[in-house]
Amino acid sequence: MIDLFHVGYLTVTLLDIIDILLVTGLIYVIYTFFRDSRAKQMVVGLIILILLGSFARLLNLQALSWILGSLQTAWLIFFVIVFQPELRRILLIVGQNPLVRRLFSPETYDLTEELIHSVMELQRRKIGALIVVLRDLGLKTIVEKGVAINGTLSTQLILSIFNTDSPLHDGAIIVYQDQVIAAKCILPLSENTDVDPTIGTRHLAALGLSEESEAFVIIVSEETGKISTAFRGILKRGLDEPALRTDLIKYLSGRNV
Ligand SMILES: Nc1ncnc2c1ncn2[C@@H]1O[C@H](COP(=O)(O)OP(=O)(O)OP(=O)(O)O)[C@@H](O)[C@H]1O
């Protein structure tokens, strides 16, 4: 490999520079991802431990590098256990990258696209629907009061549920990962007095749940076929397919919508 320059007895090659740039980039990406989360201090702690460990090895301080090495392993295991939801979100972002999808799993079942396809079909057929998408499993009381489905999400399943002849069409369905967990779920109605007084109970139920939880709720209006979403107490109305896709991907990858 091409030698670039010397620092004391160290020879710096082009490969070393590439290595440093890649590690810097990786640390930057990890840091920016965790910056606003509770994991921030732990990420900083882990980086400090890794840097100290490297210095200890460089200076051949064997006892110190052994202790720091063991601490790094324990820290890493602790980090993985405590921050499992954040790590899952990272994997989701990586998994949703079109390039990664094409490379590794061309046939993989794609929840986001299947869900969007279902919503567009509901709109096309003007079938009213209320779909609660969860990124973390919760809403136990609401799910328990509904009807358990636990079926793999598909457009056919969603259309069958919301078909007005179906005994399950009233209320909301709860979607988590690739599963429709429950149907016929009753959501809390919003009591927000600032909302447009003409909106009906389907939209108020979506808004109500979004005020009380981290759920992302999709509404298809039976009356107009319009698609709306509710997240953190904000109702967005009249979304088209690209806007829905953007918001859904943002939500599922743990970002603000
Ligand atoms: N609390 C609730 N939880 C879940 N679903 C509800 C709730 N309240 C109403 N719904 C659903 O909304 C339907 C009634 O919708 P309504 O017409 O009152 O509202 P809307 O917001 O005007 O919707 P649309 O635009 O589809 O007419 C009910 O049949 C039921 O399926």
Side-chain angles (χ1 to χ4, degrees), residues 152-166:
T152 305
L153 190 153
S154 71
T155 304
Q156 278 145 323
L157 177 60
I158 292 185
L159 289 178
S160 317
I161 291 174
F162 286 115
N163 184 313
T164 42
D165 290 333
S166 158

Side-chain angles (χ1 to χ4, degrees), residues 4 6 9 21 27 34 48 56 60 74-75 103 109 138-139 157 173 184 188 207 220-221 228 245 250-251:
L4 292 179
H6 299 271
Y9 61 90
L21 287 177
I27 292 176
F34 286 105
I48 291 173
N60 214 11
W75 201 270
L103 271 178
Y109 175 82
L139 307 183
L157 177 60
I173 62 166
K184 223 175 172 193
L207 193 60
V220 181
S221 165
S228 306
R245 179 174 289 106
K250 271 192 195 165
Y251 171 73

Side-chain angles (χ1 to χ4, degrees), residues 30 55 70 109-110 116 149 160 221:
I30 294 175
F55 279 120
S70 316
Y109 175 82
D110 189 328
I116 291 166
I149 303 287
S160 317
S221 165

Side-chain angles (χ1 to χ4, degrees), residues 130 170-172 185-187 189 200-203 205 220-223:
L130 195 50
D170 249 348
C185 296
I186 300 301
L187 313 182
L189 295 184
T201 49
R202 201 190 304 273
H203 291 78
V220 181
S221 165
E222 187 172 20
E223 212 175 298

Side-chain angles (χ1 to χ4, degrees), residues 98-115:
L99 187 71
V100 175
R101 279 213 308 253
R102 213 163 299 153
L103 271 178
F104 294 104
S105 49
E107 302 296 328
T108 302
Y109 175 82
D110 189 328
L111 159 75
T112 316
E113 285 310 313
E114 190 66 25
L115 193 51

Side-chain angles (χ1 to χ4, degrees), residues 131-203:
I131 303 173
V132 176
V133 186
L134 300 180
R135 54 185 171 203
D136 297 306
L137 198 51
L139 307 183
K140 202 164 168 265
T141 359
I142 290 176
V143 170
E144 278 172 357
K145 285 187 185 154
V147 175
I149 303 287
N150 296 317
T152 305
L153 190 153
S154 71
T155 304
Q156 278 145 323
L157 177 60
I158 292 185
L159 289 178
S160 317
I161 291 174
F162 286 115
N163 184 313
T164 42
D165 290 333
S166 158
L168 297 174
H169 82 274
D170 249 348
I173 62 166
I174 314 281
V175 170
Y176 174 64
Q177 293 181 345
D178 67 344
Q179 296 278 304
V180 175
I181 306 280
K184 223 175 172 193
C185 296
I186 300 301
L187 313 182
L189 295 184
S190 169
E191 287 175 11
N192 185 343
T193 48
D194 295 336
V195 292
D196 175 357
T198 62
I199 68 167
T201 49
R202 201 190 304 273
H203 291 78

